[in-house]
Structure formats: C-alpha cells, structure tokens
Amino acid sequence: MASWGEASQSRLIGKRIARLSGKDKVTGKAKYTFDINRPEMLYGRILRSEVAHANVTDLDLTRAEALPGVKAVIPLTEVGRKLRYQGQEIAAVAAETDDIAKDALRLIYVELEELPFVVTEADAMAEGAPQIRDDWKGNQSNPGINEDGDVDAAFSEAAVTVEATYHTPVQTHVCLETHGHVVEWTDENNLTVWASTQAVFGVRNDLARRFELPANQVRVITEHMGGGFGSKFNAGVEGLAAVRLSRMTERPVKLMLTRKAEHLVAGNRPSMTQHVKAGATRDGRLIAYDMRGYGTGGISSGAGFNAPYVYHVPNRRTERFNVAVNAGNQRAMRAPGHPQGAFAMDSLMDELAEKLGMNPLEFRRINDSSEVRQAQYTLGAQEIGWHRRNNVPGSGTGVKKRGMGVGSGLWGGGGGRGTQARVTINADGTVEAVTGTQDIGTGIRTVIAIIVAEELGLAPTDISVKVGDSGPGLPSGGSGGSQTTASVAPVIKTAAAAAKQKLFEHVAPLLQAPVDDLRIGTGKIYVASDRTKTVTWKQATGQLGQESISEGGNWDQELRQGGVAGTQFAEVEVDTQTGHVKVLKIVAVQDCGLAINRLTTESQINGGVIMGLGQALLEERIMDPQTGRMLNANLEDYKVPGTFEIPEIKSIVFDTHRKVTGVGEPPCIPTLGAIANAVHNAIGVRIRELPITPDKILTALAEKKA
Amino acid sequence: MDKFSYVNATSLKQVTSLLSDSGWGEVMMIAGGTDLLSELKEYIETPKTLINLKTLPGMDSITADASGLKIGALATVADIAMHPTIQHHYTVLAQAAASVATPQIRNVGTLGGNLCQRPRCWYYRDETVNCLKKGGDICYAIDGLSKYHAIFGGDPVYIVHPSDIAPALIALNASLRIAGPEGEKTLKVEEFFTLPAANPFRENVLEPNEIVVEVQVPQPKPDTKSFYLKAREKGAPDFALASVAGVFEMMGKTCQAANVVLGGVAPAPWRSAEAETALTGKMINEAVSMNAGAEAVKDAEPMNDNAYKVTLAQNLISRTAMMAVS
C-alpha cells in the first residue's frame, strides 16, 4: 500500500522549506500576467455600464475607431439588449497605447434608456420593487426548505431559546493582480494566452471551444498568479474580448481589468441574512433550530451558506432563498458559504451559552461530535489563555477592554482525479517535474519539488518544476476547493517513485546488486544489504548515456484524504471611546493531514486568518440605493487589512494523519465568529452585522448605556 | 485623464500670471500630485494646463527660531512629521503630519497640497455623479449614504474636510502667506477655510489666480501641551472618521488657554469654541474633560448614518484634554 512513510523517515516532507519562487517574487523577477509584454502588443480596454439597469437604444463605435492609434473596437452588447448592473460590458477597444485605449472608450457613443433598479436586498424585497429578472416571480427565488426531526416539539423542550438576525455583507475578492490576459495568435490557428487564472487547462478548453480550435492549438501560461480566491476559473468576457481583438488586429493584446472593474464584475462573496431561532436544554444540548435566510449573488443566484454549521442539531428547519439585485455576479470565494454560516452559528452558540450561564467552549464541546476539534479546543484554549477571558462579558475595567472568543470550521480538500505529470531524470543528473497545475500563490511548485527531492535523495532546489503551462499537454484541474495538493501530490509521488525504479534498473548492474536491494540516500544510491556499495547521484544518472528516464504517475487514493476540522481563538481590545477593535492575537488550530511543506502551510493559515479578519472588521461592498452604484469600488473605501490590522497569528498545523489534504480555504472560516465573540466578551454588547466597524460599536455601546 | 500641457514653474510671478488667465479648472497647479492625479484619472478635473510647482526654488524649506516656525508650501508632509523642532515644540503638527496616509504619500505630498486637497466624498469622487459641489442640484449624501459625512456646518454640501494638518495649524494659531497677481497677503489659517454656505464649490478662500506660499506658526508658550488624535477604521492609509487637534497652555493641572479643532466632521476644520470655553481656566479632570466633549457636540446635526461621529468627536475631545494632565 502506498504511503508517505513515517515522519521520522522523512528528510524533507513535513519540514519548513522556503518557497522556491520566493526570491523571484521579492525581487520582482517573477513575471505575472500583468508583467508580460510582447512585441507589437496592443492594449485592450473595456467600456462598461455606469448605470445599474438600462436598455441599450443606440451604440456607435465610429468615433472611437477613427481615433489615431485605435486598431479595433468591438461591441460587447447590442441595441435592444439590457444592461443589468453597473460595470456590465458595452464595448472593447485595442490601441497602440493604454492611454489611447482609455481615450477611445470615451469616444464610444452609447444611448441608454434607464430602467428602475434595486441594488440592496431590502429594496429588492420591498413591495412594488421593480422586477429585475425575467425568469423569477419578484426578486426572490423559490425557497428551498429542509426539515429534520420535530422542531416544534424540540422548542417546547428547550430550557433557553435565542432569536436573532445575523448579517454579512457582500465581500469582493480583491485579487492583488486583477483579472486579465495577454493574448497572441502565433499563427492563424495557434493561440498563446498568458492568463491570470486558477485553471490553466480550464481556460485552454474554454477558449478552444469558443473559438473552435483543437485544444492542443491553444496554449495557456500562468507562471505566477496574483490571487484568485475562486474568481479566476474562466477566460471571462474580458478574455474572450482580448482574443477577438487580437484576431482582428493580428497583434498581441493585453487586457487587464481596472481595480474598479475588479470590484464590480469579477465576482464576490454573496451576502447573508439569517433570522434564526434556536433552543438548548438546561444541560447544554442544542436541540432545536429554525432558520429563514437569504443572500444576494447580484443578478445571479448562488448565494448559499451553511446553516446550521459545524455543531449538531437533531431538530432543524431551514428555509433559504436568493435575492436578485442589479449588481455584479457572485463567484466562488474562498470556502463559499462557510464563513458567513460560521459567523452566524458561532455567534448563536455564544448567545445560547450566555443564556445557559455556560462557558461557550464547554457548550461547544457538548455539541461538537468531531474528536479532532475537541482536541483542538483544548490546545487552542491553552495557547490563547482562555482562563483569562471575562466570565461576565464586558466586565473589564478601563477605556480599552479586552475579550476572547472562539469559532470553528470544517472543509473537504481531498483532491480528485485528472492530473497527469511527468518526472524526468536526465543523464547529466538534472531532474524535471512537469504538470499542468498552477501555482496560484499557495506554493504547489515547492510542494512538487519537495516530493520529488524526497523520493530521489536530492534537494528541492535540484528539481526543475514546470507548472502553469498547458503546452506540455499534461492536464490538471483548476485550483479550487482546496484540491490542488491532494490532486497533484499523489501523482507526483508515484511518478517520482516510478522514475526512481527505472533509475535503479540502470544502476543495478553497476552496483552488482538486484534492483530491489537498492535504496536512495542523500545524493546517492546504495545497496541495502551492503552499504559499502554506493554510487553518487551523478554516477548513477551517468549510466543513462543518451537516454532520459521519463515517468508518469497516478492518483493513488491511499495518499490523500478529505475532511478537515479547524478552530480559532481570538483576543481583541476594544477602545470604548473610539469604537475601534484591535485584534491582539489569533490562535488558529488547523487540521490539514500531512503538511508537505509546513512553512507554506502556516502561510496558508496566516492568509486565511487575515482574510477572515478583513471580513469581520472591514470589508463590505457598499451599494447606493440612490444612484445604483457601488460607492467603494476602490481600495480607499473598500478597506482590506493592512499592516496595522495584522495581529499576532499563532498558526498551529494540527497533525492528524499522514495523508495529503488541502488547506487553502478552511483557515478563513472560524476567524469571523472568533472575533465577533471576542468583541462581545470585551464590551458586553453583541454586533450581529459585519463588518464590526467603529460606528456599530459606538452605536451599540450608546444603546446599552441608554 | 485628458491631455494637458505641462509647464515648469520658474517664479511665483509667472505662476500667478499663468493662473490669472482663466477661472477654476483650466490651469491647475501640481506639487506632490497625490490628490490631483487621482482627480485627473477619474476625470473629476480636466485641466488644459498643469503648472509644476516643484521647480520653484526655496519653497520647501522649514525654519524655526524663537519667534516661530516658517514652512514653505512645498515642504513635504514627511519633512514636517520628522522635523525635530516641530516634534518637540509643535507636537500636534508633527503628529497630524505623521498620521497622513502612508510613508510613500507623505514623502511626496506637500503642505500646500495637504491644505488645498479636495474632499474624499464618494459622490464627489464619482465622475458620473453630478453633485452640488460639482455644479449639480443636490448633495447626494443627504438622502444617500452618509457614514463619512459632516455633522457640523454641512448645509448645503455635507463633505468633510480631509486634511489632518489643517486642524493642527488652526489650533496653533498659524497664518498662511498667499501670493497673487497683485502681490502677497497673509491670513489666519482659520480664515482660509470656508463653509459651503459661503461657497459650495470650494473649501477655502483662495482665488483661481492665487497660490499658498508659506505657513507661519507662532511658537507656543513653554508650558503648552498639544496632541493630535485621529480615529479611523483602518490603521493606514485611512482618512479620519473624526480627529481632534488640541493645544493646551497649562499651569500645573489648570488649563490657562485651550485651542480645540476637530477634523473629519465638517466641510472645514471645525473649531470648537464651546470646548475651549469649557476647559479654559479649569483644573482638568475627567468631569471637566467630559463636559468639554459634550459641549462641543451639543449643536451637532448628524445625518442618517453618522450619529456615531457625535459620540466619537465628544470622546476624542475628552481624551485629548485628559492627555494634557497625564
């Protein structure tokens, strides 16, 4: 049975190893799609709707076409069509310079008949609201209703009940590198695309289908990628426009989204509103749960969330629906549905525990069936110093009050089939590992090098890893669902093992030993039964002569496993005069199976915590009911955490087994509830609506006082 | 941004004569450009000519002597924040400058630019919204989203003045020197800023052909304590939800004279005579400082989303007064 071996036997796997591309990234040598420039390249730009809802009544591109330096203008809508949100595409241009392209956009004549719009959930659900989707009745989807157990009976047995409404606003992805492509037709039938994507092969197949090309005539390259978080799986309107512009002009075209467009149209995490009632027994068993909830994914649906979440409730009824508004579509965003669900559930758990007069951690222990999380609660509580929390919320003295909270999460991350890889050993001793996955910043390049190096007795820097290129024709899936490592690692491992086996066959005659008596040492091959018989790596590969060894692998399911548990503890300090919340420390205990690279696993956890912190304290898409516009489609008023917001983060890689599991998404889940509960513990008032900004704190404190 | 011609300034005379050829917006001045460039990129401003002030000689100096401080309008925000004399004797000013934006912006943003910067209002900064400040009919913040807007002096435009340095200068009784085609004049920084009732389109009294040349600050009395407190949602970069510049002449725990100026709450830096009166001649303690805060906000007129600023301004004033005795 295949295995990753014992920890004590591992030279590299499970250790802390700096990412191979780190130096290139820090020095700017790493080239992102944004950095790619091709000879004769044109610059693409997209004209977008500035109104939330309108009919297109006239569209005239001629003035833009006539501007010197403009090489092509294409419509992306047509007369008679509807524009249904700010940012929707109207036309695209390609020009000699980016400045000319910008000027050209302003010369496009578009006449609109403006229509009534709704941009908030409340307005969309109000009586008499304008209908904004043709396929729905009103602006609400048909509800999905689920019921288990006997909810009404359970409520009558409950000793305490809590009824509350929780809300999380729309959050945008804020990819540091905006969406976009550099497109080049190398000849009439061959297309090369540098894409900022999470799915090199996904984009290849997308483009091949839409432009009716054989898939192997489309090459997609993503050497480095500046963040996707679930929003970058397809070529998108902007990618297709770039390919069309490039084909028309027979010139390469670069088309990257502006920061404003990135907020408006490149996806977002849907909002969530939950009206919940829950009940527990005197001895702390959560027995009844009734939830009616909704969210908006903009003009599209898909605003799902997990409710109830993590904790077991035997009797539960849930009703959920989508609300349509005139705003850009949601897309998958880091653990879709989970952070929203976790915030509501963990807040609810604390409210119930308070009513029961029970320590919220004890209340969780009673209702959490995960043995892993039970162990994590113990470890996390110890790390944060849970005994220091206020037994009575808000009982601290002074202007700045401290408090602690806890939150939980779960995820899958077991990977899937569909990755092909090749590990090549050359006669000069060089080793190459190639697969069509992509390193979206999570460190899979380094993970691959570690696995191959471990197998072959080399250093990670000895391995030349080629990812992010569909050219070699070795497909891999998109990097989503925390699936990359668990999908790729088993294939790399078995490919490296196969290559090693082939090398043993070449070396066995030299060492005068049977193949199965050979072993890899550090930089050498030796005979297990007679350790004096050894050859260096170079001597061994020298046996290959004019040949190379090149082996594929297979997705051995024994090497991976899905399902992780996590818990986080937060300590905060709330300035009761300014309403400012400072997070002092987060302890993140994250189960993730075998951490192939402990250092980048910790980085993943750090990143998740920071993203969760942003959602808890700062981030919100602000839509203006008056103008139908997003008022903060920038990074001034759409606030993401900066250096001053980052607390001490204790990322604990919680080892549970030695099979590979993805961990990209889960660490962003428990942070919201942990922080919200810590704020309540600090000041004794509960903020049920994220983000927890100073205005909400000050208002809540004033209400408490009154 | 639209095309413009770019002229390097050689003298104040040349600058004011270039400016005087037109009204607002045709010819504009650029120094650090940290505000203007974003206005150009968003098509909020579309000048035909930009005058580069960075080529004016000697206008970036900071000199300090017993009579006070002289800061050229081209001195950077970072120069002010890190100047040892300013840190020591004009603490409120150094603290205000240090609270501005980010190191990169402080390194290029200038004193003159900081005082003359335009509002951050999200309606004003949106090209497609023709708000009252830009010549339209209404201030959208009135019925719109007003979390970051004014609680004092708004009518009819409810922007807040974004400068951190201006409240500090007013609290220090500073003056500024303005050059125009007819020569120079000096006026108090406090008189420089105007409310929208007087002029909804501008935030100060500068004429289209005038330029801020220098700021002069009298040296505070030896027993003066001064502080700048800035509340914001994010550590940096972020503009103030509310801020306060407090300058207190102390004798022991007694406040002999107080200057209290709020930022981020009104279309101009908002001097609180009520807070000053409540503190002057008093032994500063918790009750007195709380009362000063309460007095300062008693006439506040919060909008739909910004009642929290009333509490915030009140608390910041109390806190800064208490800092004078701690």
Side-chain angles (χ1 to χ4, degrees):
Chain A
M1 199 173 79
S3 95
W4 294 97
E6 291 304 313
S8 59
Q9 305 293 309
S10 293
R11 194 168 46 89
L12 300 169
I13 287 174
K15 302 290 190 299
R16 299 162 56 87
I17 293 168
R19 71 179 73 217
L20 296 180
S21 55
K23 204 191 260 181
D24 284 353
K25 286 182 174 174
V26 171
T27 58
K29 195 179 162 200
K31 295 293 174 228
Y32 292 74
T33 301
F34 234 116
D35 300 317
I36 301 295
N37 291 306
R38 303 295 302 164
E40 299 291 298
M41 186 180 81
L42 299 173
Y43 293 81
R45 285 256 169 187
I46 292 176
L47 179 69
R48 298 177 180 280
S49 175
E50 292 293 349
V51 301
H53 201 194
N55 284 318
V56 180
T57 53
D58 196 5
L59 179 61
D60 183 355
L61 309 178
T62 51
R63 280 177 67 214
E65 286 166 338
L67 183 70
V70 171
K71 295 298 168 187
V73 188
I74 54 173
L76 298 174
T77 186
E78 59 191 56
V79 172
R81 288 253 292 268
K82 251 183 201 170
L83 299 171
R84 300 196 298 167
Y85 51 91
Q86 183 197 6
Q88 196 168 353
E89 299 81 4
I90 294 172
V93 304
E96 294 284 0
T97 69
D98 197 30
D99 287 335
I100 296 173
K102 276 188 251 182
D103 287 345
L105 293 187
R106 297 178 77 82
L107 294 174
I108 293 169
Y109 177 75
V110 56
E111 194 179 271
L112 301 173
E113 175 202 359
E114 292 196 35
L115 300 169
F117 56 79
V118 287
V119 294
T120 66
E121 296 94 308
D123 284 355
M125 293 193 290
E127 214 170 305
Q131 171 96 21
I132 61 168
R133 275 179 71 132
D134 303 331
D135 53 339
W136 288 8
K137 239 189 267 163
N139 296 318
Q140 291 169 228
S141 66
N142 290 325
I145 298 171
N146 281 297
E147 189 155 359
D148 280 293
D150 190 337
V151 178
D152 296 332
F155 272 114
S156 65
E157 281 171 39
V160 297
T161 59
V162 164
E163 220 174 329
T165 298
Y166 302 101
H167 174 72
T168 57
V170 171
Q171 179 189 28
T172 68
H173 293 71
V174 192
C175 306
L176 204 53
E177 179 182 44
T178 59
H179 288 58
H181 306 78
V182 177
V183 172
E184 180 170 349
W185 289 88
T186 49
D187 63 41
E188 214 164 86
N189 298 310
N190 282 281
L191 181 61
T192 298
V193 176
W194 288 263
S196 183
T197 183
Q198 298 172 244
V200 163
F201 275 84
V203 172
R204 182 194 76 158
N205 297 342
D206 198 12
L207 291 174
R209 188 167 44 82
R210 288 178 189 257
F211 292 93
E212 295 177 347
L213 294 165
N216 63 2
Q217 283 168 219
V218 180
R219 181 179 174 197
V220 174
I221 302 168
T222 307
E223 180 74 13
H224 297 285
M225 216 279 277
F229 312 107
S231 69
K232 290 183 177 169
F233 286 107
N234 301 303
V237 177
E238 65 279 1
L240 303 180
V243 176
R244 286 171 63 195
L245 291 167
S246 178
R247 172 164 261 180
M248 281 169 72
T249 56
E250 299 182 346
R251 304 255 305 258
V253 170
K254 178 193 270 189
L255 200 167
M256 306 298 294
L257 296 195
T258 61
R259 177 58 58 193
K260 182 176 168 186
E262 189 76 8
H263 280 296
L264 292 174
V265 304
N268 54 67
R269 185 192 296 284
S271 66
M272 173 214 75
T273 302
Q274 285 186 30
H275 307 290
V276 202
K277 186 181 170 195
T281 58
R282 182 54 59 200
D283 60 352
R285 281 176 303 116
L286 180 58
I287 54 166
Y289 180 91
D290 192 359
M291 189 283 297
R292 182 172 178 272
Y294 57 87
T296 184
I299 203 74
S300 70
S301 52
F305 51 83
N306 301 52
Y309 189 59
V310 171
Y311 313 102
H312 179 66
V313 201
N315 308 291
R316 56 187 189 270
R317 179 165 52 215
T318 61
E319 177 186 341
R320 41 183 116 215
F321 54 94
N322 279 269
V323 178
V325 301
N326 291 108
N329 293 337
Q330 63 85 24
R331 290 184 192 172
M333 183 165 178
R334 203 169 191 173
H338 285 240
Q340 304 98 293
F343 162 68
M345 193 71 194
D346 272 316
S347 300
L348 180 69
M349 292 297 279
D350 266 38
E351 298 208 52
L352 283 163
E354 196 185 4
K355 275 209 169 173
L356 285 165
M358 199 176 260
N359 184 315
L361 193 56
E362 288 315 306
F363 183 55
R364 279 172 175 76
R365 286 187 183 280
I366 294 166
N367 293 288
D368 192 339
S369 60
S370 159
E371 280 176 32
V372 173
R373 233 174 354 257
Q374 293 284 350
Q376 291 176 337
Y377 290 143
T378 306
L379 179 59
Q382 202 177 320
E383 278 293 335
I384 198 85
W386 186 250
H387 62 280
R388 293 187 292 114
R389 77 185 273 283
N390 303 311
N391 279 323
V392 178
S395 59
T397 53
V399 166
K400 294 182 179 177
K401 295 187 170 204
R402 293 189 174 189
M404 288 185 193
V406 59
S408 299
L410 53 82
W411 194 252
R417 292 178 193 288
T419 294
Q420 293 179 28
R422 197 170 56 230
V423 172
T424 302
I425 302 172
N426 298 308
D428 64 357
T430 56
V431 178
E432 209 173 77
V434 187
T435 181
T437 191
Q438 48 282 313
D439 194 334
I440 63 170
T442 53
I444 189 67
R445 187 182 267 110
T446 311
V447 161
I448 291 170
I450 290 169
I451 295 167
V452 176
E454 177 87 56
E455 199 69 30
L456 301 181
L458 302 172
T461 47
D462 292 333
I463 315 301
S464 160
V465 180
K466 296 199 167 121
V467 295
D469 187 350
S470 72
L474 295 168
S476 187
S479 290
S482 307
Q483 306 286 22
T484 305
T485 303
S487 301
V488 172
V491 184
I492 294 292
K493 158 95 173 157
T494 52
K500 177 178 75 177
Q501 195 61 25
K502 276 275 156 60
L503 184 62
F504 283 175
E505 288 167 18
H506 283 270
V507 175
L510 183 71
L511 286 169
Q512 296 173 317
V515 169
D516 59 10
D517 202 15
L518 300 189
R519 300 287 182 276
I520 284 282
T522 306
K524 66 181 183 187
I525 293 168
Y526 64 90
V527 178
S529 59
D530 179 1
R531 290 187 171 230
T532 62
K533 290 161 85 175
T534 164
V535 289
T536 66
W537 176 259
K538 278 270 169 118
Q539 287 169 331
T541 59
Q543 294 298 304
L544 296 175
Q546 296 302 309
E547 290 179 47
S548 281
I549 292 168
S550 200
E551 293 295 313
N554 63 294
W555 190 61
D556 187 328
Q557 294 215 44
E558 292 298 321
L559 294 171
R560 42 59 66 189
Q561 183 174 312
V564 294
T567 190
Q568 291 180 20
F569 290 76
E571 182 173 17
V572 305
E573 182 176 84
V574 183
D575 186 327
T576 54
Q577 289 184 336
T578 65
H580 186 258
V581 177
K582 183 173 179 56
V583 181
L584 300 171
K585 184 172 183 175
I586 299 277
V587 174
V589 193
Q590 185 60 53
D591 153 31
C592 63
L594 172 63
I596 289 183
N597 186 351
R598 199 164 280 262
L599 186 64
T600 49
T601 305
E602 288 167 358
S603 288
Q604 278 282 38
I605 299 170
N606 292 341
V609 165
I610 292 167
M611 205 158 178
L613 184 151
Q615 205 182 351
L617 297 182
L618 293 166
E619 295 182 50
E620 177 177 19
R621 182 182 75 182
I622 299 174
M623 300 300 295
D624 181 30
Q626 243 182 146
T627 59
R629 301 170 64 71
M630 180 176 173
L631 292 180
N632 60 343
N634 51 47
L635 290 178
E636 175 182 338
D637 288 321
Y638 189 98
K639 297 175 188 183
V640 292
T643 14
F644 289 98
E645 279 68 44
I646 312 302
E648 178 190 353
I649 303 172
K650 175 93 180 170
S651 290
I652 300 175
V653 176
F654 193 80
D655 298 278
T656 44
H657 54 75
R658 287 188 61 79
K659 296 183 180 190
V660 173
T661 309
V663 74
E665 283 151 294
C668 78
I669 300 168
T671 327
L672 292 67
I675 290 175
N677 286 335
V679 168
H680 175 263
N681 187 241
I683 59 174
V685 295
R686 182 161 293 279
I687 310 296
R688 297 185 181 86
E689 196 173 311
L690 297 184
I692 305 174
T693 40
D695 56 329
K696 292 185 187 131
I697 297 266
L698 290 174
T699 306
L701 285 172
E703 280 167 9
K704 185 193 176 195
K705 214 169 145 190
Chain B
M1 62 181 78
D2 280 352
K3 286 191 174 59
F4 53 80
S5 61
Y6 192 71
V7 183
N8 285 326
T10 52
S11 68
L12 284 175
K13 211 172 153 62
Q14 173 228 21
V15 171
T16 53
S17 73
L18 281 169
L19 287 171
S20 62
D21 290 338
S22 60
W24 289 109
E26 289 282 300
V27 180
M28 297 185 79
M29 295 177 278
I30 182 165
T34 58
D35 184 23
L36 184 66
L37 281 176
S38 60
E39 287 205 298
L40 300 184
K41 287 176 183 173
E42 299 292 333
Y43 298 91
I44 308 300
E45 294 286 0
T46 52
K48 298 280 174 284
T49 304
L50 281 192
I51 308 171
N52 172 29
L53 300 179
K54 286 287 202 188
T55 49
L56 283 175
M59 249 176 69
D60 59 353
S61 67
I62 301 178
T63 56
D65 58 31
S67 70
L69 191 62
K70 288 180 179 171
I71 313 174
L74 289 177
T76 67
V77 177
D79 290 341
I80 296 168
M82 304 205 282
H83 195 282
T85 308
I86 299 179
Q87 287 176 344
H88 189 69
H89 292 294
Y90 308 82
T91 313
V92 63
L93 177 56
Q95 288 178 348
S99 80
V100 171
T102 62
Q104 292 93 328
I105 289 175
R106 293 198 291 274
N107 284 339
V108 291
T110 63
L111 172 61
N114 185 277
L115 297 179
C116 298
Q117 65 182 307
R118 305 307 310 276
R120 307 306 306 179
C121 169
W122 44 29
Y123 296 106
Y124 168 77
R125 293 271 164 175
D126 187 330
E127 184 200 357
T128 68
V129 177
N130 187 28
C131 68
L132 206 159
K133 180 157 269 302
K134 291 185 285 189
D137 295 329
I138 56 165
C139 174
Y140 282 79
I142 296 170
D143 291 325
L145 301 179
S146 51
K147 181 181 183 181
Y148 300 125
H149 289 81
I151 55 169
F152 291 110
D155 194 22
V157 171
Y158 290 79
I159 59 126
V160 296
H161 200 282
S163 173
D164 291 302
I165 291 178
L169 289 176
I170 293 169
L172 288 167
N173 291 321
S175 302
L176 43 77
R177 207 149 60 75
I178 291 172
E182 311 303 322
E184 292 194 356
K185 63 183 178 192
T186 299
L187 77 166
K188 295 284 240 177
V189 176
E190 189 176 359
E191 290 155 7
F192 178 68
F193 294 101
T194 53
L195 288 174
N199 181 353
F201 311 117
R202 311 298 305 176
E203 295 80 54
N204 55 57
V205 298
L206 213 60
E207 294 293 329
N209 55 8
E210 289 179 332
I211 172 175
V212 175
V213 176
E214 185 183 75
V215 169
Q216 300 164 344
V217 194
Q219 177 150 314
K221 291 191 179 157
D223 290 323
T224 298
K225 290 193 171 182
S226 72
F227 313 96
Y228 187 72
L229 296 182
K230 179 177 178 181
R232 42 194 152 178
E233 289 181 320
K234 185 179 165 177
D238 206 359
F239 288 91
L241 297 172
S243 67
V244 62
V247 177
F248 309 99
E249 280 175 40
M250 302 299 291
M251 180 179 282
K253 300 219 172 217
T254 302
C255 177
Q256 304 282 85
N259 288 349
V260 177
V261 185
L262 292 162
V265 295
W270 191 257
R271 182 160 199 161
S272 179
E274 297 88 345
E276 293 170 357
T277 306
L279 293 168
T280 303
K282 304 271 167 51
M283 283 266 285
I284 305 295
N285 56 32
E286 202 137 317
V288 168
S289 68
M290 298 258 289
N291 179 52
E295 282 295 309
V297 298
K298 66 175 191 236
D299 294 328
E301 293 177 318
M303 307 173 73
N304 290 334
D305 306 323
N306 66 6
Y308 76 97
K309 281 196 179 190
V310 178
T311 317
L312 186 55
Q314 178 179 346
N315 290 345
L316 287 179
I317 288 175
S318 311
R319 182 176 284 188
T320 190
M322 285 306 288
M323 286 168 77
V325 288
S326 65

